[in-house]
Amino acid sequence: MSNEKRLFGTFGVRRTANDVLTPEFATRLAACYGTQIQGTVAVGGDTRTSSPMLIEAVKAGLLSSGCDVVDLGILPTPGVQYAVRKYYDGGVMITASHNPPKYNGIKFLDEYGIGIPDDMELAIEELYFDSEPKRAEWNEIGQIYHNDKIIDEYVDEAISKVDAEAIREANLKVVVDCGSGAGAYTAPYLIRKLGCDVTTLNCQADGFFPGRDPEPIEENLQELISVVKELGADIGLAHDGDADRTICIDEKGNFVLGDKTFTIVEKQMLKENDGGIIVTTVATSQAIYDIAEEYNGEVIATAVGDLLVARKLHEKDGLFGGEENGGLIFPDFVYGRDAVMTVAKILEILALEKKSLSELVAELPVYYASKTKIECPDEQKQNVMSSIAEEIKNTTDFELDLTDGVKILKADGWVIIRPSGTEPIFRCFAESDSQDKADEMTEWGLSLIKKYKK
Ligand code: MG
């Protein structure tokens, strides 16, 4: 069996809908997954135009392999992960997350609701291309069930994990923008159940994403920002297409970077639990380490990728984790980025701390980041990285971290050089205590790449 993946990317298969991602493709791939699972599999999808078609195709493939299927309908990715961990042997989510409307994807989950590991992906590809999935005899074809209570259960369990009474008493004014994605089925109800005054934007599910692009970056959230200011709201919240990421807007209308949200929640989690293991990636802020040091936490850094963070949290029995893009993971709830728990937790922090979001952000350690990229042919990437690592080791006493690409740590900041998995480029990302220094460090990173690139 080759180790080179033929279909799967960082989390599932993502392609243009009904081009590569046809019903025939989805059915056969799902049958290959079902061959591996041989149990009860939950299936859900996001709000894309192609999701109902792909959900039916995936269900057919699973039934054909002899798996029973529980149809969860349209809901956020973490809703499926929640259901699988609690009740089922596996799960399939149809989503292209934050990508434009024409895309869709298939994510497969293990029994814990975590994206399946590499060896299982390779085994599925092997069945798909070189062999045949199991086809059950007529009397062993799977059965279809429905679970339409799972969304309520998922939302209610998140509420049970925070001080809902304190949130109700705080009378918070909240604006939420679901971008017409799957968060429309959870976020407004969650916030209303927590007693907040909620105003919704783009909270009608719509696969054309008419209100805004599904990626919750600042340029796509201008309407949310102006509504927060106009209404004098305490906070604005936005989700991506499958509602696993959460972005906050403070009461002044400022876009809050994902690593700031991460650090605010990290601080609260460590305070409440008297310390614990925090898992993030090598590309996140030093502020996470500073807070961990202050509140008795231990930080473990993985290579970039939410699945790797989720698996490490599971393996180490971690307290909290996530990425800098607004994807926060609460491992006692869902082993994956989860928006429902993130929203409940942030509202709880506002209520308990009795501070505005901008004040909470202002209390955090301040670092400045600089990001850039440079072209480099794929076949040269390995050599460039090992040459840079070799030079740093031999000529400096800077610390090196080779978890993902080359990270060079100096006394006043760090720079990381990472090869893109999908494009012929290196990303170069630095952080320091001033913007000038951060910019200088990315320049230095680029100069190192140029030196060894032919
Ligand atoms: Mg997503």
Side-chain angles (χ1 to χ4, degrees):
M1 191 158 77
S2 146
N3 283 322
E4 200 66 37
K5 286 189 203 167
R6 290 172 278 186
L7 286 172
F8 288 96
T10 48
F11 192 162
V13 179
R14 200 172 292 178
R15 296 286 196 289
T16 313
N18 226 11
D19 177 353
V20 180
L21 215 53
T22 59
E24 295 88 335
F25 171 87
T27 300
R28 183 173 172 87
L29 195 68
C32 296
Y33 167 77
T35 303
Q36 300 279 315
I37 297 289
Q38 293 297 291
T40 303
V41 178
V43 179
D46 69 12
T47 61
R48 288 164 194 273
T49 57
S50 54
S51 292
M53 173 188 84
L54 291 169
I55 287 172
E56 296 307 321
V58 162
K59 282 159 64 180
L62 291 167
L63 294 169
S64 163
S65 73
C67 288
D68 286 337
V69 170
V70 182
D71 189 337
L72 304 180
I74 305 299
L75 75 171
T77 296
V80 178
Q81 294 177 277
Y82 170 84
V84 170
R85 176 173 174 179
K86 221 161 163 186
Y87 300 114
Y88 309 120
D89 305 309
V92 185
M93 177 67 189
I94 307 300
T95 179
S97 188
H98 61 273
N99 289 132
K102 70 176 184 183
Y103 291 95
N104 214 330
I106 306 177
K107 291 180 172 185
F108 294 107
L109 306 173
D110 70 10
E111 61 188 303
Y112 304 108
I114 308 176
I116 55 171
D118 291 346
D119 56 347
M120 193 165 169
E121 290 185 338
L122 289 166
I124 290 171
E125 289 183 350
E126 158 111 349
L127 279 171
Y128 187 95
F129 288 109
D130 311 326
S131 176
E132 280 301 316
K134 178 184 166 185
R135 298 297 181 184
E137 295 288 326
W138 69 271
N139 56 353
E140 287 174 347
I141 292 169
Q143 302 200 58
I144 293 231
Y145 302 90
H146 294 264
N147 182 345
D148 49 17
K149 301 234 168 22
I150 201 72
I151 290 181
D152 283 340
E153 196 182 321
Y154 164 62
V155 167
D156 288 344
E157 188 163 332
I159 292 173
S160 77
K161 288 180 181 295
V162 295
D163 187 343
E165 214 34 61
I167 301 172
R168 287 187 191 106
E169 279 165 21
N171 282 319
L172 297 168
K173 193 182 261 194
V174 180
V175 187
V176 62
D177 179 351
C178 292
S180 303
Y185 292 88
T186 50
Y189 307 98
L190 166 76
I191 301 165
R192 204 167 285 132
K193 277 185 171 181
L194 286 167
C196 302
D197 171 356
V198 55
T199 301
T200 57
L201 289 180
N202 304 313
C203 285
Q204 309 83 7
D206 190 326
F208 291 87
F209 299 103
R212 67 161 167 90
D213 183 282
E215 184 159 29
I217 52 177
E218 188 166 4
E219 61 170 306
N220 295 333
L221 301 180
Q222 291 307 310
E223 191 188 5
L224 173 62
I225 288 171
S226 56
V227 173
V228 166
K229 288 199 272 195
E230 198 67 38
L231 294 179
D234 296 294
I235 187 170
L237 296 160
H239 298 310
D240 67 331
D242 63 331
D244 57 355
R245 283 164 57 191
T246 309
I247 286 297
C248 301
I249 306 298
D250 77 14
E251 78 288 356
K252 295 174 180 164
N254 296 309
F255 182 90
V256 179
L257 290 169
D259 59 0
K260 302 276 181 198
T261 312
F262 184 110
T263 319
I264 288 170
V265 176
E266 177 199 11
K267 187 170 168 180
Q268 191 74 13
M269 292 292 285
L270 287 171
K271 280 205 297 199
E272 276 172 17
N273 294 278
D274 208 15
I277 292 174
I278 306 295
V279 182
T280 186
T281 77
V282 285
T284 46
S285 176
Q286 174 63 31
I288 291 166
Y289 292 80
D290 297 355
I291 294 291
E293 196 165 335
E294 196 176 342
Y295 295 94
N296 195 28
E298 180 200 336
V299 179
I300 299 174
T302 67
V304 172
D306 56 309
L307 279 193
L308 301 174
V309 175
R311 282 199 201 114
K312 188 61 82 179
L313 282 164
H314 180 240
E315 179 191 323
K316 298 283 182 186
D317 195 18
L319 175 68
F320 172 67
E323 301 174 301
E324 80 297 343
N325 61 6
L328 308 190
I329 304 176
F330 298 84
D332 78 333
F333 184 56
V334 169
Y335 282 122
R337 303 184 293 202
D338 179 68
V340 162
M341 196 63 220
T342 302
V343 167
K345 201 72 201 167
I346 288 166
L347 295 176
E348 183 193 41
I349 295 169
L350 288 177
L352 293 177
E353 297 292 309
K354 299 188 172 28
K355 286 175 186 162
S356 67
L357 184 54
S358 69
E359 287 171 316
L360 292 167
V361 171
E363 289 174 357
L364 299 174
V366 181
Y367 290 98
Y368 297 86
S370 173
K371 264 181 198 180
T372 180
K373 58 186 176 186
I374 182 172
E375 283 183 18
C376 178
D378 287 332
E379 63 276 12
Q380 289 188 32
K381 283 173 175 172
Q382 201 50 51
N383 182 51
V384 168
M385 287 189 291
S386 44
S387 303
I388 294 173
E390 203 54 30
E391 174 180 330
I392 299 300
K393 219 181 296 168
N394 293 336
T395 62
T396 72
D397 52 8
F398 302 139
E399 202 186 317
L400 270 180
D401 182 338
L402 305 178
T403 306
D404 189 353
V406 181
K407 185 176 184 179
I408 307 165
L409 298 100
K410 294 176 155 188
D412 55 356
W414 53 266
V415 60
I416 187 167
I417 294 154
R418 286 185 53 242
S420 162
T422 51
E423 296 167 83
I425 57 168
F426 271 112
R427 297 183 198 286
C428 182
F429 180 32
E431 189 185 67
S432 188
D433 50 18
S434 79
Q435 190 62 54
D436 283 351
K437 277 199 224 167
D439 293 341
E440 249 169 58
M441 286 182 84
T442 48
E443 281 306 315
W444 180 55
L446 286 182
S447 73
L448 288 168
I449 296 166
K450 284 180 193 155
K451 189 164 162 188
Y452 293 108
K453 198 178 79 159
K454 288 184 192 98

